[in-house]
Amino acid sequence: MNKTLSRNPSPADQHHAGLAIAGGTLEALKWVALACMALDHVNKYLWGQRFGVAFELGRLAMPLFGFVLMYNLARPGACRDGLHARVARRLLVAGALAAPASVALIGGWPLNILFTLLAATCIVWLIERGGAVRRAWAVLVFVAAGAVVEFWWFGLLSCLGAWAFCRKPSGLRLAAWTAALSTLWIVNRSFAALACLPLVWTACRVEIPVPRHRWAFYAFYPAHLSAIALWVELN
C-alpha cells in the first residue's frame, strides 16, 4: 500500500481494503466539491466569469466528486451488495431532473456531470463483474459515453484512475491517476484538478465529524442549477 496516501483506519473504515478515510472526512470532501461547483456556476452564469480564482476552484469539483464516488464503489463487497445499481439509479434520476436547466444554460450537449458519474459507475460495475464480454462492454460505454457527457473521456479517465487507486493503492496507480487528472487540461486549460491530490492526502490523515446526508448532492445539483437557469431567464 502507498504510505503517502494512507493511515491507520478507524473502526468505521476497517471494511475498506485500500485507502482509509473517516466517513465524516469523506463527507467533508463532498461538501468542498459542492461549494467549488456552486461558486464556479455562479461565476460562469451570473458573473460572466469575472473571477479567475472561482474558475480554478471550480476545476476541483468534478475530480473530488469522482474520487468520493469511486472510493465508495471500491469498497470490498460493494458490487455484491448492489451499491453500483443503487448509485446508478440515483444519478440517472438526479441527472434527468437537472437536464432542463442544463439544456437552458449550455444546450443539449454535453450531458451534465451526473451522467459522467453515471457512465463511470457503469464502467466500473462491468469491470467488477468480470469476463471478456463485460470488459468489452465497459470499453464501449467508455468510448460512447465519453463523447456525450461533461468532461468527456477525460472526466471518465479521472474517475477510473481514482477507482483503480482506491482499490489497490500503489505508486504506479497513483501515477496513472495523476496522469488521468492531467488530461483534464484539455478541457479546462488548467491543471487545477491536480489540487485534489493533496486534499485526498490530507483527508487520509484527519478526521472531521461531518454527518452524512445521503441525498444532499443528488438534490442540490438539480436545485441549484434550476435556480441559476431561472435567474438567467428572468434577467
Side-chain angles (χ1 to χ4, degrees), residues 86-155:
R86 294 196 301 274
V87 168
R89 286 193 294 268
R90 295 167 192 161
L91 288 168
L92 179 60
V93 171
L97 290 174
S102 178
V103 169
L105 291 169
I106 65 174
W109 177 84
L111 300 178
N112 66 64
I113 189 175
L114 298 188
F115 290 101
T116 308
L117 299 177
L118 171 61
T121 299
C122 292
I123 291 168
V124 300
W125 177 78
L126 288 165
I127 296 172
E128 287 272 21
R129 292 293 302 277
V133 173
R134 291 191 182 95
R135 290 192 178 94
W137 273 106
V139 173
L140 181 60
V141 172
F142 175 83
V143 172
V148 297
V149 298
E150 193 171 5
F151 296 100
W152 301 296
W153 303 279
F154 319 107

Side-chain angles (χ1 to χ4, degrees), residues 7 20-22 25-26 29 198-207:
R7 62 171 175 81
I21 301 178
T25 305
L26 197 66
L29 282 179
L199 285 176
V200 170
W201 183 88
T202 302
C204 293
R205 287 160 170 76
V206 300
E207 187 164 347

Side-chain angles (χ1 to χ4, degrees), residues 19-44:
L19 300 182
I21 301 178
T25 305
L26 197 66
E27 192 71 11
L29 282 179
K30 191 190 303 181
W31 283 104
V32 169
L34 277 172
C36 290
M37 177 187 67
L39 178 62
D40 179 56
H41 287 167
V42 170
N43 183 52
K44 180 177 181 179

